[in-house]
Amino acid sequence: MTPALKLFDLSGRTALITGSGSGIGYALAGGLAGAGARVVLNGRDESKLGTAAERLRADGADVLTAAFDVTDAAAVTAAVARFEAEHGPIDILVNNAGLQRRAPLEDFDHAVWHELMRTNVDSVFYVGQAVARHMIGRRRGKIINICSVQSELGRPNIAPYTASKGAVKMLTKGMAIDWGQHGLQVNGLGPGYFRTELTQALVDNAEFSQWLIGRTPSRRWGDVADLVGAAVFLASDASNFVNGHILYVDGGVTATL
């Protein structure tokens, strides 16, 4: 019998986390490293990635970096192939890169719409496809797409973001359907409202924070550390028969009106 905790052990596995120079991606990289994985930080800013990598190494993590633009299909394909040739298989992929843009829908700029869709949706397809092609040949692999409570719920002035995260949810299910037969598990992780650099303005907005805390059954903002356990579960053998599922880590926001 396999000890239960052994199911969560990621020793010997390599995890690529896109958009991991800071915020949720950085926290997930640290969490996967803490479970034993070698982690690969991704972003476009090599200097930022280097700084993030050194911080993780100071905590004992095994870290590599891979700077490439996740919205450039050709660059993604080349970068994944180069990494696998030089460093070995990518066992775990976390599609985390994303951005938020706010404006009334009737005023939403077309160029910003396309920027948001490229970053939030196209990147999941490009990186997911490039990595899965290698995973399929090995008949194993874990892909975690970062969704959101906005995959299910809307808020004023973020309709394009909501549309993008709804698309990621359904792309996750489609990936699981197409690639499950090849031994891959593809699932989504749906954060609620978390304290990060990108949400600091909302955290500092007393009226919004009061509303959010009252709206959330757990009565607080999320801390990025709250996501680690769910990510390790979805990346590990503990989730070998979990496929096409979206795991919301939101303090109960999606459970209540």
Side-chain angles (χ1 to χ4, degrees), residues 197-208:
E197 298 95 324
L198 295 178
T199 61
Q200 192 59 50
L202 293 176
V203 173
D204 294 339
N205 184 319
E207 182 180 1
F208 182 86

Side-chain angles (χ1 to χ4, degrees), residues 28 115 128 147 188 194:
L28 294 179
E115 176 196 27
C147 299
F194 281 75

Side-chain angles (χ1 to χ4, degrees), residues 10 13-16 32 37 90-94 135 142 144 235:
L10 302 180
R13 303 185 193 186
T14 297
L16 168 63
L32 296 179
I90 296 169
D91 305 290
I92 302 157
L93 167 64
V94 182
M135 289 178 168
K142 300 280 187 174
I144 303 168

Side-chain angles (χ1 to χ4, degrees), residues 97-180:
L99 59 81
Q100 170 68 288
R101 295 288 185 263
R102 294 180 172 85
L105 186 57
E106 65 272 19
D107 298 325
F108 208 89
D109 184 83
H110 291 182
V112 177
W113 165 276
H114 290 297
E115 176 196 27
L116 192 150
M117 292 298 166
R118 283 194 302 271
T119 305
N120 291 5
V121 183
D122 292 0
S123 70
V124 175
F125 169 64
Y126 294 153
V127 185
Q129 183 187 62
V131 172
R133 284 171 172 163
H134 294 271
M135 289 178 168
I136 286 169
R138 297 187 287 265
R139 297 199 60 79
R140 60 182 173 82
K142 300 280 187 174
I143 298 178
I144 303 168
N145 296 329
I146 302 303
C147 299
S148 168
V149 290
Q150 267 78 47
S151 297
E152 300 290 343
L153 305 172
R155 284 278 298 156
N157 297 331
I158 60 167
Y161 180 80
T162 301
S164 74
K165 288 302 185 178
V168 173
K169 178 184 78 169
M170 295 311 299
L171 182 55
T172 299
K173 292 177 181 290
M175 288 176 169
I177 293 165
D178 281 11
W179 298 337

